[in-house]
Amino acid sequence: MSFNPRDYSNSENVATCKAYKRLPEPEIVEIAIRYANINPSGERGIIMVHGWPSLWSSWSNQIEEFKNDFHLIVPDLRGFGHSTHSGDPRSSGNMGDMVADLVCVLEHAKVAKAICMGHDWGSQICYEAARMRPDIFTAVIGAVVPYIPTAGPFVPVRQLVSAFPRLTYQLYFDSKLDAAVAELDKDIRRTIRATLRTVDSPPPDAYLRSADSFLDAWSHVDEIPPVPFFSPEEEDYFVERYRFQGFKYTLQFYTTENRHASWELAHKQGNFTIPVPALVVHPLHDPVADWNVAAKLLKTADFVPNLTTKFLEGAHWVHIENPVEFNGIVREWLRNLDEKDSSSKQERDSRMTDEL
């Protein structure tokens, strides 16, 4: 049965959250974060955090898998879909801002603690959430992207493209933001189709390698095939939601200002370690980068002492491309986590009994 996001319209909620708008003058404003609130009577919560250019509905397969066992909180991040933005994409969308939004959403949903499941940039938000607020975010599941620790000096993206040439598009989003927005907004369906591809229906080899265009590698294709893992209803929904405010505020992840602010925040806090259990699922065929190699270069494991790493066939959208396998990995990890928690509780109870 195909997933139709509109079937969840009755589950949609809106959290009004305080947000910093840093330019042109610093001020605190209110933004509206829309989220799907599914099975609110569930004993444990999972907040699902999408990346770029996604929406809450990209978690369709995980929603169907876990909706009967968990309370699912599935937001559109600030600036995506119908979730509003403070109005300053260059400097008001750093990791601290994003984590504050998640905390606001959980408070609105009356959830005290939750597992954070992310994909792409959503993974990094979840890692940062667990680093900053382990009292709220009790475990992390990251699809595709490893934790990127900020313990060392700030590294601009331009210094990474020689090792990871398909990060070049990020230079375009940063240095030519207005031009990038105009290109992405011109034909939203074409932008979505160009980005959401699979191993069996890949993008051109030149894709993501330009510092002057995001879509130029597709110029020889008159009509890009539909998103392989979406039903027509899902693709139409994506296009409709992006038409509300376009891509302008979604590019907040790529600006040097927000990246540096995220790095600076971690250094001011003086903590770079994720103290909660974490699972990362790396795809084997992501055109963006070999994330396993990246994790080793970044020494991710040194900063995540309770890390489980798994690998899965698929490209960048591995949780949608191979949902059965992805969900199986997640469910097994959650089951092991429960067993460890139960064992730890029994040991604590036993010690208390002995002391009595």
Side-chain angles (χ1 to χ4, degrees):
M1 182 181 295
S2 63
F3 179 87
N4 189 339
R6 293 178 178 84
D7 292 341
Y8 285 86
S9 58
N10 291 335
S11 299
E12 186 174 282
N13 283 251
V14 182
T16 301
C17 304
K18 300 292 185 182
Y20 283 105
K21 181 181 180 182
R22 296 180 175 87
L23 292 175
E25 296 293 333
E27 61 176 315
I28 296 177
V29 299
E30 289 186 343
I31 60 174
I33 304 295
R34 295 181 180 269
Y35 68 97
N37 193 31
I38 301 167
N39 188 22
S41 62
E43 291 185 7
R44 294 185 298 165
I46 298 178
I47 185 165
M48 298 179 173
V49 188
H50 66 76
W52 189 91
S54 282
L55 297 171
W56 74 272
S57 59
S58 63
W59 291 108
S60 58
N61 295 284
Q62 288 67 52
I63 289 170
E64 293 300 296
E65 174 71 21
F66 296 106
K67 66 181 181 181
N68 295 323
D69 302 317
F70 293 87
H71 178 185
L72 304 182
I73 308 96
V74 197
D76 277 338
L77 296 175
R78 63 164 65 186
F80 287 78
H82 288 192
S83 289
T84 59
H85 195 277
S86 60
D88 169 26
R90 281 215 161 270
S91 60
S92 299
N94 63 53
M95 287 294 149
D97 296 327
M98 296 294 185
V99 172
D101 290 350
L102 296 192
V103 172
C104 174
V105 168
L106 289 178
E107 288 176 349
H108 188 267
K110 297 179 172 54
V111 175
K113 298 176 183 293
I115 297 164
C116 197
M117 181 188 296
H119 168 254
D120 183 70
W121 282 105
S123 295
Q124 192 62 19
I125 294 171
C126 282
Y127 298 137
E128 287 297 310
R131 182 188 67 78
M132 287 189 266
R133 297 299 307 269
D135 57 316
I136 297 176
F137 302 95
T138 58
V140 179
I141 300 163
V144 178
V145 180
Y147 173 52
I148 302 173
T150 54
F154 177 68
V155 180
V157 173
R158 65 177 177 273
Q159 295 183 17
L160 301 175
V161 295
S162 59
F164 302 99
R166 284 196 171 94
L167 295 182
T168 305
Y169 76 98
Q170 298 191 11
L171 298 177
Y172 174 52
F173 286 176
D174 182 23
S175 63
K176 301 175 181 178
L177 188 146
D178 290 339
V181 169
E183 181 184 25
L184 298 172
D185 284 352
K186 182 179 180 181
D187 186 338
I188 290 174
R189 190 177 299 275
R190 186 173 179 85
T191 297
I192 294 299
R193 287 182 173 185
T195 312
L196 280 70
R197 309 311 307 172
T198 64
V199 170
D200 293 334
S201 182
D205 288 341
Y207 184 55
L208 306 179
R209 295 177 181 267
S210 173
D212 299 301
S213 171
F214 185 72
L215 299 172
D216 213 33
W218 288 95
S219 60
H220 64 289
V221 180
D222 290 336
E223 182 176 355
I224 300 174
V227 177
F229 41 68
F230 277 175
S231 67
E233 292 81 10
E234 287 177 284
E235 184 176 296
D236 288 346
Y237 182 82
F238 250 64
V239 174
E240 174 189 305
R241 300 290 273 204
Y242 269 100
R243 281 179 179 153
F244 179 67
Q245 57 187 340
F247 287 90
K248 180 178 181 179
Y249 299 118
T250 71
L251 299 188
Q252 58 204 336
F253 297 117
Y254 302 99
T255 69
T256 298
E257 293 89 339
N258 278 326
R259 288 178 187 264
H260 188 271
S262 299
W263 172 87
E264 187 176 45
L265 176 62
H267 276 256
K268 285 181 178 178
Q269 293 173 333
N271 170 41
F272 309 105
T273 299
I274 296 176
V276 303
L279 166 69
V280 63
V281 182
H282 293 310
L284 294 174
H285 308 290
D286 191 338
V288 179
D290 185 328
W291 294 113
N292 184 44
V293 171
K296 291 178 180 177
L297 291 173
L298 293 164
K299 300 186 185 303
T300 294
D302 293 348
F303 297 90
V304 191
N306 195 353
L307 175 65
T308 300
T309 301
K310 297 291 184 179
F311 301 94
L312 187 59
E313 290 291 332
H316 189 72
W317 309 91
V318 67
H319 65 305
I320 319 177
E321 186 177 356
N322 292 308
V324 173
E325 294 82 357
F326 179 86
N327 290 344
I329 290 172
V330 171
R331 191 170 280 284
E332 181 183 8
W333 183 77
L334 290 171
R335 183 166 53 249
N336 291 337
L337 199 62
D338 288 343
E339 290 174 357
K340 289 179 182 178
D341 288 344
S342 177
S343 177
S344 297
K345 184 178 183 302
Q346 289 176 2
E347 289 178 6
R348 289 195 301 271
D349 292 345
S350 177
R351 285 199 300 271
M352 290 179 64
T353 301
D354 291 343
E355 291 172 359
L356 292 172

